[in-house]
Amino acid sequence: MERGGRAWQGEDEAEQELFAKYMPERAPVPAYLKPTKLSPTASAVRDLARVLHLDWKEEDGITSDILSFAWETVQRFSTQIKPGEDRSLALSYEQFKECAGSIKCVTDKLDSCLTSAVFFALTREQQSGQCSLSSHKFFDFIMRKVNLGQLRLILAMHDEEGDGYLTEKELQAFIASQMPSMPSLGALDDSFHETYLIYASRKFMFFLDHKHLGKVKITELMLSDILDEFSMLRDENPAPKRLANNWFSVGFVARVQRIYSTMDQDANGLLSRNELSNFSNGSINPSMVDRIFAECRTYSGELDYKSFLDLMLAREYPTQKAVGSN
């Protein structure tokens, strides 16, 4: 046993020597890879430069005059396929190239919309077998792209840290800035404004804050269906059925508020275990209530409004990937 023990010890020492020889200490992280802490002055200069850059981008954006000129040019080069129908204008590939050249002579801000790749991509989407492109479809594409660019700029302006993310507070500021341009929210009571911001921002955080960072990546936000759902409120005459199923609509908000008010029997703004047991007509079982209280943040042993919204989102959108409460 003694010899075996010594042999084992010798092998261990030899292993340590080999490890020390071939696995040197980890090299230090290069200085340029380490995060640097800016001085207050440098931080202020950085923030000012960012604001000035965004202001310049906004001033240098695509104006309504440019869009009007583009539409007039598209109409001028188009051919009317069906006489008497307003939306029957179309562009052949040759007409598209002439139209693009005419627009490029005046402005270069629409160049990304005037390529051959755009023409053939949009004609494939038509699925009509025609080699011509609907003029209205083409201009709708231009408008969507311009609107996305403007939206990206607006979101960047609300990104106070400039890190490509929006915190829940920054999301609420963005939502507040968009509300005046949304006719569908005209019936919203002024006293409910702050609560609506919490309500609306919660859906973005619930589904898009995948890593529980307390913030949402702007690129993911722009690609999400949730932003499209919110932007639908800009329509002056949205389809009633779509509006009724829209989380951000006044009708949906009112329904959620009625449920919360009914459950909050002592009207203290929080939900106790007994009050939560009435969720979804009492279909929630006691073990689920215990799990919810174990997972969610509580205040004096009760759930707040945000946790309730998370439950509502999980119930209303069961097939959509959800992220838990912060």
Side-chain angles (χ1 to χ4, degrees), residues 232-247:
M232 194 191 80
L233 300 182
R234 289 196 183 90
D235 297 345
E236 293 187 3
N237 297 301
K241 186 175 181 180
R242 290 185 63 197
L243 195 61
N245 295 322
N246 190 313
W247 171 268

Side-chain angles (χ1 to χ4, degrees), residues 257-270:
Q257 285 304 113
R258 281 195 299 270
I259 295 172
Y260 188 70
S261 300
T262 302
M263 290 173 60
D264 184 19
Q265 297 175 359
D266 56 5
N268 69 342
L270 300 170

